[in-house]
Amino acid sequence: MRHVYLATLGQRPEAITVAFDKLCEQYDFVEAIILHTEPRHSAIAEAYTRLREVFAAEYDGLPVRWVQITRENGDPLLDITDQDGATSYMRGIYREMRACKRAGDTLHLLVAGGRKAMSIYATLAASYLFGPHDRVWTVLSPSEMLAEPGVWHIPPGLRDRVQLVDLPVLPARLQPADREQFDDPLELVAWRRQPREALFSMLSEAECQIVQLLERHPRATNVDLARMLSKDERTIENQLRSVYRKLERVTDVDGPLNRKR
């Protein structure tokens, strides 16, 4: 299993290395990915420079990718100050995470050290893509560490007071094939907000036919449906099972898979 570390960069970059050091006690990481906004003229300029220096000097052999999130038109994104900046940031993070998931990576996302809005959007993107083994983390450090900038590692005597918190983000219920059809997370949100349209987009022609028939005859049994469609009762049962499974993926509600009509 390939473990990949992702972190959103803000003005307190020390959280990124502190959390990474703690996570390395449990996992062997093959790569670190630092997600950031415009790195030269924005408020994170100094943090960006210092963090690069620390990774280069102290994590020899660890591949680190620095991924700049831009506006959708390619313009630099300095901060989230409007709707366009917010959606651009979420789309950029979503696409990076999706590329990692397509590669089969297990992701560990840190949402500490970045600005609040960016941490929220990163967590939302994770909720659409993460599976049961992926994790979203935050790190809690004692005041002694936070008071002074430049504390990149846990000082002796404070290790037990630095806490990694595993945030309770539910694994995405959508199947990987369903998630990968969406380049834009907002399309996925719209799809989930229209469950009827989403369900019909997943059904085969025969399954659409049986659902439409049930809408007209809600009290019909499997025997009734088989007679009306000139099909075997077992065929109707199998098609309904398939419909219920797809309904679960759209609604996040366990369907009556073993129900007899």
Side-chain angles (χ1 to χ4, degrees):
M1 184 179 294
R2 284 172 43 95
H3 293 277
V4 173
Y5 180 64
L6 296 93
T8 56
L9 175 61
Q11 295 182 48
R12 293 303 301 262
E14 298 89 344
I16 293 176
T17 52
V18 168
F20 185 66
D21 290 347
K22 289 284 285 186
L23 285 170
C24 284
E25 297 173 4
Q26 306 176 55
Y27 306 99
D28 293 322
F29 290 97
V30 300
E31 183 181 32
I33 301 173
I34 310 302
L35 306 160
H36 60 87
T37 52
E38 196 284 323
R40 303 299 181 188
H41 304 99
S42 68
I44 67 161
E46 182 178 353
Y48 173 82
T49 300
R50 290 290 293 120
L51 186 62
R52 288 193 73 118
E53 292 172 349
V54 170
F55 266 113
E58 301 182 25
Y59 296 92
D60 184 44
L62 174 71
V64 181
R65 282 200 294 121
W66 302 83
V67 178
Q68 180 177 343
I69 308 299
T70 65
R71 291 185 180 272
E72 286 297 289
N73 63 5
D75 288 347
L77 178 62
L78 276 70
D79 201 352
I80 295 179
T81 57
D82 53 29
Q83 183 68 52
D84 177 72
T87 54
S88 295
Y89 188 80
M90 184 174 178
R91 284 168 174 155
I93 287 185
Y94 173 90
R95 290 166 185 163
E96 187 63 35
M97 290 180 181
R98 190 182 65 161
C100 291
K101 294 307 299 175
R102 282 180 166 176
D105 296 333
T106 297
L107 300 182
H108 297 261
L109 172 67
L110 178 73
V111 290
R115 282 157 283 186
K116 289 182 180 178
M118 294 179 178
S119 295
I120 291 170
Y121 279 106
T123 304
L124 286 173
S127 71
Y128 303 143
L129 294 169
F130 276 23
H133 301 295
D134 303 300
R135 292 290 182 268
V136 179
W137 303 94
T138 192
V139 62
L140 305 177
S141 300
S143 57
E144 297 94 311
M145 291 179 59
L146 299 175
E148 294 292 332
V151 181
W152 299 97
H153 307 287
I154 305 172
L158 294 182
R159 181 164 296 278
D160 291 342
R161 296 178 59 192
V162 174
Q163 301 292 319
L164 271 177
V165 178
D166 184 354
L167 299 181
V169 176
L170 290 173
R173 298 260 324 223
L174 289 176
Q175 299 297 315
D178 297 328
R179 300 195 297 266
E180 290 178 7
Q181 68 178 295
F182 296 100
D183 292 321
D184 185 342
L186 299 185
E187 291 180 3
L188 175 56
V189 172
W191 185 78
R192 295 294 300 277
R193 285 177 174 172
Q194 302 177 63
R196 177 184 170 82
E197 290 79 358
L199 175 62
F200 273 89
S201 72
M202 299 168 64
L203 299 180
S204 68
E205 183 177 347
E207 290 166 350
C208 284
Q209 186 181 32
I210 198 170
V211 169
Q212 291 167 341
L213 190 60
L214 273 172
E215 287 182 322
R216 296 196 299 272
H217 304 280
R219 297 182 181 277
T221 65
N222 285 3
V223 173
D224 297 330
L225 294 170
R227 184 182 67 254
M228 288 185 280
L229 293 171
S230 300
K231 292 183 177 181
D232 183 78
E233 184 181 350
R234 181 59 61 85
T235 300
I236 296 297
E237 181 178 332
N238 291 337
Q239 289 176 342
L240 285 173
R241 285 179 180 274
S242 177
V243 169
Y244 289 138
R245 290 191 183 97
K246 292 172 182 178
L247 182 62
E248 288 179 19
R249 284 150 58 181
V250 171
T251 62
D252 283 351
V253 175
D254 288 334
L257 295 185
N258 296 312
R259 174 180 171 185
K260 283 272 190 178
R261 293 191 65 87

